[in-house]
Amino acid sequence: MPQIVIERPGRVELAMLPPLALYAHIPWCVRKCPYCDFNSHERGGALPEAEYVAKLIADLEALLPSVWGRRVVSIFIGGGTPSLFSPDAIDALLSGIRARIPVEPIAEITLEANPGTVEATRFRGFRDAGVNRISLGVQSFDDRMLAALGRIHSADEARRGVEAALASFDNVNLDLMYGLPQQTVAMAQSDLRAAFACGVPHISAYQLTIEPNTAFYSAPPELPEHDACADMQIAIEEMLAGAGYEHYETSAFARPGHRCRHNLNYWEFGDYLGIGAGAHGKVSFPDRVTRHERIKQPRDYLSASITVAREGTVAPAELPFEFMLNALRLVEGFPLTLFQERTGLPISAVQSQLAEAEHKGLIERLIERGGQRLRPTERGRLFLNDLLALFVGGESEGRGSGVRVSGPATRIS
Ligand code: SF4
């Protein structure tokens, strides 16, 4: 039986509803990477593509009454390794979505892919299915680092994968990791130079962290010292700025016009439907903000007649933390009015926390046309967890939504 959590809605009043995105989770990978704590599972034989797509569509149908009349502004197919699904299966999924809910004609539609699972023909098939952005989990262009991470691809395959993606898509993100076992600052810089050489318009750079429930947690590799990782981060940020990539979120860097609209919607505390095993979603109503979550284990998810694992209203006391957890990741911060617009709470609800954060030099206020903007200072970005701790009013969750919103930035795929 699903566990239903109901909170009394209380004081929340939203004058308008936020943009609505859609996240679809495909949970299988060729092999489980030793550092990965995402809801990803080693595939055992052929994937149940048709059955799973039907389940994703059933999830969407179940969620439709909560979003009648709304349009989807972006779609993100994440995992796992969604590129293991055939272009025909992705086509069936996107057609099924479009048949059930209006999707903006210019919606950004991202598919996560891993080198070693895709070649040029497959990318063309995904493009023909309606995908218009690819996010590639490269992680490194150094064979030694890739082996240490347990990745299935080589540096050459990574280069060929990026080349093949760029032959079909203008909009390509490349995930890189740093702070890897035995990695030096020079090696991290060399990875970044290899990424620049590929010519991708978007790069996400994540520091490797050891998470519970991973193989690395049970048998941790030796990682570079904290100072060395900080030096890598500084070097990476400087190189990306020098190469014309705008740093717009803790780990995200884009050439002008290539920021990820889907992820920006999370960080701006927008709404999103979550479909697929373990997927999370958030839907706002005029008097409340709700969250939903699907059954996590793919086998259980596929066999269940009702796939919802949890759903309920977010307690108003938790909304400030949930909002800040996302919005304070944005390098340029957010207009002060966005807090009330997205949480339905007056800004006075966090006045004392904001004053303390300002006093500690963690955030700053900027006056701009039309009002004030709040943004984390450089110190605030460095000590993001301390800054967020000021707003803690309860637990939050963000996994299975395509970005992790707790702890340091570690979206790894
Ligand atoms: S890191 Fe990516 S490829 Fe590796 S197991 Fe996790 S989701 Fe799969």
Side-chain angles (χ1 to χ4, degrees):
M1 281 291 287
Q3 179 194 347
I4 309 290
V5 183
I6 306 284
E7 300 275 354
R8 281 177 65 78
R11 304 161 278 140
V12 172
E13 279 177 43
L14 279 93
M16 65 179 91
L17 298 180
L20 177 69
L22 171 65
Y23 175 76
H25 191 76
I26 296 181
W28 292 283
C29 292
V30 174
R31 197 166 67 202
K32 182 79 178 176
C33 300
Y35 58 87
C36 176
D37 75 335
F38 273 65
N39 186 28
S40 58
H41 304 263
E42 194 163 314
R43 73 170 172 199
L47 294 174
E49 289 187 350
E51 194 189 343
Y52 193 77
V53 168
K55 211 76 185 181
L56 289 170
I57 296 300
D59 273 356
L60 176 60
E61 285 177 345
L63 288 163
L64 286 179
S66 62
V67 291
W68 284 136
R70 298 178 67 181
R71 295 166 83 81
V72 166
V73 297
S74 63
I75 299 174
F76 196 104
I77 307 171
T81 305
S83 52
L84 289 176
F85 267 30
S86 65
D88 281 350
I90 298 301
D91 186 44
L93 172 61
L94 291 175
S95 305
I97 292 170
R98 287 183 193 282
R100 284 160 182 83
I101 187 164
V103 177
E104 290 278 358
I106 52 155
E108 176 189 271
I109 302 179
T110 304
L111 179 105
E112 284 188 327
N114 277 320
T117 66
V118 263
E119 74 309 313
T121 327
R122 211 169 172 84
F123 275 126
R124 278 197 294 276
F126 293 138
R127 186 192 59 198
D128 293 345
V131 173
N132 55 29
R133 182 174 184 271
I134 291 289
S135 180
L136 263 179
V138 165
Q139 316 313 353
S140 174
F141 289 98
D142 182 325
D143 281 327
R144 290 164 300 173
M145 297 297 98
L146 290 167
L149 288 173
R151 300 293 301 197
I152 60 162
H153 64 267
S154 65
D156 273 348
E157 282 172 322
R159 279 190 197 87
R160 285 202 297 274
V162 184
E163 209 173 288
L166 283 167
S168 289
F169 296 91
D170 297 330
N171 213 355
V172 174
N173 166 61
L174 195 152
D175 281 351
L176 279 183
M177 294 173 77
Y178 64 93
L180 306 179
Q182 317 278 317
Q183 192 179 38
T184 62
V185 175
M187 288 161 77
Q189 289 173 310
S190 164
D191 264 351
L192 204 51
R193 273 193 292 275
F196 292 162
C198 296
V200 289
H202 193 289
I203 293 175
S204 304
Y206 305 102
Q207 183 180 341
L208 172 64
T209 54
I210 306 294
E211 303 292 337
N213 301 317
T214 62
F216 273 0
Y217 192 77
S218 317
E222 198 176 324
L223 298 181
E225 296 291 327
H226 179 271
D227 284 356
C229 290
D231 289 346
M232 285 181 210
Q233 185 183 341
I234 292 166
I236 285 169
E237 290 183 7
E238 284 176 358
M239 281 177 73
L240 281 156
Y245 290 83
E246 297 164 345
H247 188 187
Y248 69 102
E249 186 268 347
T250 308
S251 311
F253 304 81
R255 289 201 186 282
H258 286 89
R259 296 181 181 200
C260 177
R261 300 208 300 268
H262 184 86
N263 286 346
L264 274 170
N265 187 51
Y266 292 136
W267 297 321
E268 290 169 352
F269 210 49
D271 279 357
Y272 52 100
L273 300 173
I275 60 174
H280 291 239
K282 163 184 174 278
V283 178
S284 303
F285 296 85
D287 63 347
R288 65 195 190 280
V289 176
T290 67
R291 290 210 174 264
H292 55 264
E293 182 185 337
R294 305 277 134 191
I295 292 171
K296 194 172 174 187
Q297 287 298 324
R299 205 179 305 122
D300 299 341
Y301 171 82
L302 278 168
S303 62
S305 54
I306 297 174
T307 58
V308 64
R310 286 196 300 170
E311 60 185 358
T313 300
V314 182
E318 291 177 7
L319 285 171
F321 177 66
E322 293 222 1
F323 176 89
M324 296 297 174
L325 193 57
N326 288 284
L328 287 174
R329 298 181 68 94
L330 292 167
V331 174
E332 290 154 14
F334 57 91
L336 208 52
T337 49
L338 192 72
F339 177 82
Q340 179 153 9
E341 199 178 304
R342 297 292 154 88
T343 64
L345 300 169
I347 193 72
S348 56
V350 285
Q351 213 60 65
S352 62
Q353 294 95 321
L354 291 178
E356 189 176 347
E358 262 183 296
H359 178 70
K360 289 181 170 169
L362 298 171
I363 57 167
E364 59 190 352
R365 279 174 205 254
L366 307 170
I367 307 296
E368 56 182 16
R369 261 197 14 212
Q372 287 184 38
R373 170 172 286 275
L374 269 186
R375 76 171 177 202
T377 58
E378 202 174 323
R379 181 179 167 77
R381 289 201 291 117
L382 269 175
F383 297 98
L384 188 58
N385 285 343
D386 294 343
L387 172 53
L388 293 173
L390 297 175
F391 299 94
V392 171
E395 294 268 312
S396 184
E397 45 197 8
R399 294 180 190 192
S401 58
V403 282
R404 179 167 307 166
V405 290
S406 58
T410 48
R411 177 66 181 107
I412 41 180
S413 179

